[in-house]
Amino acid sequence: MEVQGQNKFHKGRCFCADKGVDVVSPKNIEKLEIIPPSPSCGKQEIIVTLKSTERKCMNPESRFTQYLIKRALEKMAQQ
């Protein structure tokens, strides 16, 4: 059972071990997660789930990731 708002990643550490990838094929992205800094991980993490169910950490500073975040926020604003 998962409680909404509960961190479903490793307790006490960041999910992304390194800076992440700069680009993935947009047509392969199933889901985008933006995880804000927290007491257990002091950095913002951007994680994409691909249609193959593979999860990848995105480099939050890459232009492509910034574009993905902007598009996701625009989409949310329209709903």
Side-chain angles (χ1 to χ4, degrees):
M1 181 170 104
E2 190 175 313
V3 178
Q4 189 173 11
Q6 178 181 356
N7 187 354
K8 52 189 178 211
F9 302 113
H10 310 291
K11 250 191 174 144
R13 14 175 106 122
C14 300
F15 180 77
C16 301
D18 57 12
K19 72 175 183 113
V21 298
D22 289 333
V23 179
V24 295
S25 176
K27 66 182 180 195
N28 290 333
I29 297 174
E30 183 74 32
K31 181 173 142 188
L32 171 73
E33 295 175 78
I34 302 170
I35 303 168
S38 69
S40 61
C41 178
K43 63 181 184 175
Q44 179 184 48
E45 298 184 293
I46 315 297
I47 302 168
V48 292
T49 303
L50 305 176
K51 291 180 180 170
S52 66
T53 68
E54 181 183 6
R55 299 176 88 194
K56 289 202 178 272
C57 293
M58 300 298 298
N59 176 359
E61 294 173 16
S62 79
R63 281 180 128 166
F64 178 78
T65 304
Q66 294 298 318
Y67 171 75
L68 279 181
I69 293 168
K70 183 179 172 205
R71 280 204 35 217
L73 292 173
E74 287 170 354
K75 209 173 194 180
M76 285 174 49
Q78 291 175 353
Q79 291 180 351

